[in-house]
């Protein structure tokens, strides 16, 4: 036990020493807890001209028709947008838009306040092919890069390939060239973007959506072109893959090409959202342990995922699949499970994903929800407070930073 403690201490000291030598504030993903940041919401009057994007369902955002299951706690937002929703006292319920700089500033301030290391900025290939989508995500990224620098939070670009068509791998590579030039991602001195996340000595770019068996138009040929192109440009690569990537299970294509491409990247990141609940997680946990063993054998790093709960009933109907949060017990079970399996870093899904009910940012508590006849909103328990999952994610980050006093027992606030 003593030797293990000494080894851990040396690792932590080495990590901090390496961080001090690097001009980049986040020279490695190891030891960090990062979240995904969708940034895809728009309102009808935010200036993006995209309507109630990702708020509306089938063209309508009003009681009985919306796509979000959680409602944001709006008390700290500078810019707010009125909606057709009302509270029990008849007052108007407002929402936000990340198209606004002040909104993204607030989100990154929360990351700093609660100790979350940073976020992966989602960039959807199916969106940036169009002028309006590209303008929106360029604006959100610009807001986020500035906020990350100001709040000293790690930031990383994540390309989501969902909806990508064959040939658009070149669109992605052209896009990263533009972003690299705009934000100095390949600069050696880190002056332009000092908090951009690096790994294995290079700026990290994530590519999500390779190997899924859900009839995507693109395949391993396009994915290999993207990975090779990023590597040639001087980036390290994290690849987002199906849950059962290693054994070619239920959500993965049964093709050796998946393993071949994974051996070329720097980090393997499986998508675990919705695959288990608190009861089923113990049976799933050995999958993470075996994933880590495979990655070590093939000299690739591995990042497991933790999510607080799941709900998409407004999107898919009142009987749609849900996973209870259980007051944070489910989330902490996954954090502890990742640590027990030997994980060195963690991905949280998601920071702001209200559509599938995985948000960790400040969401309305049960007594503060708008009225929604014909639909349902999921509230955070009043006794926990709207910021509880930010706080709990911050505790996870402290544990991954090497702070003592954490265990499988859920911390008390």
């Amino acid at each position: 036990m003593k030797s293990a403690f000494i080894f851990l201490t040396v690792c932590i000291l080495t990590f901090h020493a390496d961080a001090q030598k690097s001009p980049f504030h986040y020279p490695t993903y190891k030891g960090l807890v990062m979240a995904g940041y969708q940034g895809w919401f728009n309102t009808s009057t935010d200036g993006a001209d995209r309507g109630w994007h990702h708020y509306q369902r089938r063209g309508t955002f009003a009681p009985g028709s919306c796509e979000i299951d959680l409602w944001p706690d709006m008390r700290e937002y500078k810019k707010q947008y009125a909606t057709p929703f009302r509270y029990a006292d008849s007052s108007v319920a407002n929402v936000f838009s990340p198209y606004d700089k002040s909104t993204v500033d607030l989100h990154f301030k929360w990351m700093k306040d609660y100790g979350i290391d940073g976020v992966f900025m989602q960039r959807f290939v199916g969106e940036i092919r169009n002028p309006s989508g590209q303008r929106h995500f360029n604006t959100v990224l610009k807001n986020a890069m500035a906020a990350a620098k100001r709040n000293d939070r790690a930031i990383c670009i994540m390309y989501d390939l969902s909806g990508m068509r064959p040939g658009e791998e070149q669109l992605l590579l052209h896009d990263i060239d533009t972003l690299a030039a705009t934000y100095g991602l390949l600069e050696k001195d880190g002056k332009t973007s000092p908090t951009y996340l690096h790994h294995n000595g290079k700026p990290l770019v994530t590519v999500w959506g390779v190997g899924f068996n859900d009839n995507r138009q693109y395949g391993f040929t396009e994915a290999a072109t993207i990975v090779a192109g990023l590597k040639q440009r001087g980036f390290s690569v994290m690849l987002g893959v199906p849950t059962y990537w290693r054994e070619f299970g239920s959500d993965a294509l049964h093709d050796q090409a998946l393993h071949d491409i994974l051996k070329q990247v720097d980090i393997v990141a499986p998508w675990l959202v919705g695959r288990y609940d608190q009861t089923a997680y113990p049976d799933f946990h050995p999958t993470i342990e075996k994933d880590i063993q495979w990655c070590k054998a093939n000299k690739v790093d591995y990042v497991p995922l933790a999510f607080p709960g799941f709900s998409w009933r407004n999107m898919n109907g009142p009987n749609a699949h849900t996973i209870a949060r259980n007051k944070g017990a489910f989330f902490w079970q996954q954090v502890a499970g990742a640590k027990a399996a030997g994980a060195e870093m963690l991905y949280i899904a998601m920071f702001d994903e209200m559509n599938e009910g995985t948000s960790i940012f400040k969401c309305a508590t049960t007594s503060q929800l708008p009225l929604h006849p014909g639909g349902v909103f999921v509230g955070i328990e009043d006794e926990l407070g709207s910021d509880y999952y930010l706080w709990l994610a911050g505790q996870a980050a402290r544990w991954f930073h090497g702070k003592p006093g954490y265990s499988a027992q859920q911390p008390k606030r």
Side-chain angles (χ1 to χ4, degrees):
M1 178 67 84
K2 184 177 180 181
S3 61
F5 175 76
I6 294 172
F7 174 75
L8 177 61
T9 302
V10 170
C11 288
I12 294 170
L13 291 175
T14 301
F15 167 77
H16 287 298
D18 289 343
Q20 290 174 356
K21 294 176 185 176
S22 173
F24 302 99
H25 298 194
Y26 296 93
T28 177
Y29 193 173
K30 291 184 179 181
L32 303 183
V33 171
M34 302 274 291
Y37 191 94
Q38 298 282 35
W40 59 11
F41 298 103
N42 287 106
T43 72
S44 59
T45 57
D46 64 1
D49 196 28
R50 284 160 62 86
W52 290 106
H53 204 56
H54 281 284
Y55 282 117
Q56 66 186 13
R57 182 175 185 270
R58 296 177 180 174
T60 301
F61 183 51
S65 181
C66 74
E67 202 179 80
I68 58 172
D69 272 30
L70 292 164
W71 193 272
D73 178 353
M74 293 298 300
R75 289 176 292 182
E76 297 177 53
Y77 290 84
K78 292 181 180 178
K79 295 194 73 172
Q80 304 193 15
Y81 299 88
T83 77
F85 289 85
R86 298 290 184 273
Y87 293 105
D89 64 0
S90 297
S91 61
V92 175
N94 296 332
V95 293
F96 66 85
S97 170
Y99 199 71
D100 296 326
K101 178 179 178 294
S102 63
T103 290
V104 180
D105 284 345
L106 178 62
H107 290 167
F108 275 80
K109 178 182 180 297
W110 288 344
M111 295 172 210
K112 182 177 181 179
D113 289 347
Y114 291 89
I116 299 163
D117 291 303
V119 287
F120 290 89
M121 298 299 298
Q122 313 296 300
R123 196 165 176 85
F124 301 88
V125 176
E127 291 268 20
I128 63 172
R129 73 161 70 102
N130 301 312
S132 67
Q134 186 177 78
R135 183 173 62 252
H136 172 80
F137 283 98
N138 282 352
T139 300
V140 174
L141 181 61
K142 180 181 178 181
N143 294 340
M145 292 295 289
K149 188 175 183 178
R150 186 161 44 254
N151 291 280
D152 193 18
R153 296 299 93 187
I155 189 167
C156 182
I157 293 165
M158 174 181 277
Y159 286 101
D160 189 321
L161 304 187
S162 302
M164 189 180 82
R165 299 187 287 246
E168 290 184 332
E169 62 273 18
Q170 296 303 326
L171 181 154
L172 185 156
L173 293 173
H174 175 73
D175 186 72
I176 195 62
D177 287 340
T178 301
L179 298 182
T182 301
Y183 298 109
L185 302 184
L186 293 168
E187 291 175 354
K188 301 302 182 183
D189 59 11
K191 287 185 178 179
T192 303
S193 299
T195 70
Y196 192 84
L197 181 62
H198 283 57
H199 195 78
N200 290 339
K202 299 176 182 178
L204 182 66
V205 173
T206 303
V207 179
W208 190 93
V210 174
F212 288 83
N213 64 358
D214 52 1
N215 300 312
R216 300 184 177 218
Q217 295 183 53
Y218 62 89
F220 293 115
T221 299
E222 291 80 10
T225 297
I226 291 170
V227 170
L230 291 172
K231 287 284 191 175
Q232 290 165 5
R233 284 162 170 77
F235 294 101
S236 56
V237 178
M238 183 168 91
L239 203 64
V241 295
T243 301
Y244 300 104
W245 60 272
R246 177 178 42 80
E247 54 198 15
F248 305 123
S250 59
D251 60 349
L253 291 168
H254 195 292
D255 193 325
Q256 183 60 37
L258 176 56
H259 286 188
D260 292 341
I261 196 171
L262 284 173
K263 293 175 184 178
Q264 305 302 313
V265 304
D266 298 81
I267 306 174
V268 176
W271 184 249
L272 308 181
V273 172
R275 299 300 191 261
Y276 47 75
D277 58 13
Q278 191 170 350
T279 300
Y281 181 77
D283 290 334
F284 179 83
H285 185 258
T287 297
I288 297 177
E289 295 176 321
K290 293 175 183 177
D291 283 357
I292 291 176
Q293 291 170 9
W294 187 96
C295 288
K296 286 183 176 179
N298 289 280
K299 296 180 173 56
V300 181
D301 289 321
Y302 176 87
V303 59
L305 179 152
F307 64 105
F310 183 84
S311 177
W312 57 1
R313 285 179 289 180
N314 285 325
M315 198 187 315
N316 294 315
N319 297 320
H321 179 58
T322 61
I323 297 174
R325 294 191 172 212
N326 293 336
K327 297 184 177 182
F330 175 55
F331 177 73
W332 196 257
Q333 178 189 43
Q334 297 166 81
V335 173
K339 290 292 291 184
E344 299 177 276
M345 44 197 165
L346 188 67
Y347 181 97
I348 296 176
M350 303 281 288
F351 187 84
D352 60 337
E353 168 65 280
M354 297 182 290
N355 310 75
E356 296 182 358
T358 62
S359 303
I360 62 166
F361 75 163
K362 296 184 184 184
C363 290
T365 60
T366 303
S367 66
Q368 302 299 317
L369 292 170
L371 302 176
H372 186 22
V376 61
F377 286 130
V378 178
I380 309 301
E381 289 83 353
D382 288 319
E383 64 270 23
L384 296 181
S386 66
D387 67 341
Y388 181 73
Y389 290 93
L390 283 175
W391 176 82
L392 199 58
Q395 298 305 298
R398 286 176 57 83
W399 194 1
F400 273 82
H401 294 170
K403 302 294 184 182
Y406 293 96
S407 69
Q409 184 173 357
Q410 185 178 346
K412 293 183 179 179
R413 198 170 186 180

